[in-house]
Amino acid sequence: MRRPDPGHSDDRLPRFTRAERWVHHATALLMLVCLVTALLLYVPGLSAAVGRRDLIRPLHVWCGFALPVPVLLGLVSRAFRADLRRLDRFGPHDREWLRRADRRAVRRVGGLDRGVVPVGKFNAGQKLNAAFTAGAILVMLGSGAMLAFPGPWPVHWRTGATFVHDWLFLAVALVTAGHLWYALRDRGALTGMLTGHVDRAWAARHHPAWLDVLDGARPTPPAPAENEKDTSVIRE
């Protein structure tokens, strides 16, 4: 198979399959419905303005119970399972990415601006976000089940579940807002999730080690940190 020319920055690279995108979009939609309905239920002003709690509460409950379903269905996809394994691995380059203040700087290599840290398909921030989201869904599911079906549970359990559910909702809302903010700022990443493909130039800048895997090349070692002298590094 012909190796892609690294000088062609508009080459399209496959990033996510249709199944992976479906899992992401379905989970995102369910999460947003849960967050919006939670606001309508728990903020007195909004609850009074909208009304119809008899419709909003069941929608919130059943969307919450449905949150794990897209991921469970996605396990049928080999590509999705492979990405889950990538997200579950935290290596030296991830710690390097978190440690460096110049993690988004680039250097010119082979006609392309490449990221100074050899990031794979997912960077450390994306891995931490995925871990938090998975854990939050499980905790919200457990605590929400106690609140939706209070009969079998002691009062002090239900009190604790209410405390965890309400405060974790705030954390999830903040993390979701941050995730959306980063996604909207990075048009390349957004395009990859919407269409399944990204530009070679974007991959080289943000995920150079992943690009090397696609090309079958040896990964480029990380550039010196910002306090070390390297004139090829371009700050962003």
Side-chain angles (χ1 to χ4, degrees):
M1 185 174 74
R2 183 178 67 86
R3 183 174 165 184
D5 180 5
H8 292 175
S9 62
D10 52 352
D11 285 350
R12 304 292 287 170
L13 302 172
R15 183 158 174 83
F16 296 115
T17 64
R18 183 176 297 177
E20 292 176 290
R21 300 198 310 275
W22 179 87
V23 171
H24 178 273
H25 299 336
T27 303
L29 178 61
L30 289 170
M31 182 67 79
L32 288 174
V33 171
C34 286
L35 292 174
V36 171
T37 52
L39 282 173
L40 295 178
L41 288 170
Y42 294 116
V43 176
L46 292 176
S47 183
V50 175
R52 303 308 302 268
R53 290 180 64 90
D54 56 328
L55 293 179
I56 295 173
R57 186 178 184 279
L59 180 62
H60 177 79
V61 170
W62 292 113
C63 283
F65 284 138
L67 267 173
V69 173
V71 174
L72 294 176
L73 294 177
L75 294 175
V76 176
S77 165
R78 181 180 300 177
F80 181 68
R81 295 197 304 272
D83 274 354
L84 286 182
R85 288 192 292 270
R86 293 186 183 99
L87 287 167
D88 193 44
R89 293 171 183 164
F90 208 85
H93 61 281
D94 296 308
R95 288 185 285 274
E96 177 82 0
W97 189 89
L98 290 172
R99 181 181 64 84
R100 294 180 64 148
D102 64 337
R103 66 178 68 96
R104 299 191 185 280
V106 297
R107 59 178 175 176
R108 196 74 175 175
V109 179
L112 283 176
D113 290 335
R114 293 175 58 93
V116 296
V117 181
V119 176
K121 188 171 184 179
F122 302 104
N123 62 42
Q126 292 167 323
K127 293 179 180 181
L128 292 174
N129 179 73
F132 171 82
T133 301
I137 287 175
L138 293 176
V139 174
M140 294 293 268
L141 187 64
S143 58
M146 292 185 187
L147 301 177
F149 306 104
W153 313 106
V155 174
H156 63 280
W157 282 32
R158 298 199 304 269
T159 302
T162 302
F163 178 84
V164 170
H165 203 79
D166 290 352
W167 282 101
L168 188 54
F169 155 73
L170 294 177
V172 170
L174 289 174
V175 171
T176 301
H179 178 71
L180 290 172
W181 183 69
Y182 273 108
L184 293 174
R185 289 179 64 215
D186 190 340
R187 194 170 294 273
L190 190 61
T191 299
M193 186 52 70
L194 292 176
T195 68
H197 292 78
V198 295
D199 291 336
R200 175 173 293 273
W202 179 88
R205 178 178 288 268
H206 297 283
H207 301 272
W210 174 64
L211 177 61
D212 290 337
V213 170
L214 292 181
D215 288 346
R218 179 176 297 177
T220 304
E226 60 180 355
N227 57 349
E228 301 176 34
K229 187 175 181 180
D230 184 359
T231 56
S232 66
V233 174
I234 306 169
R235 311 298 178 194
E236 287 194 331

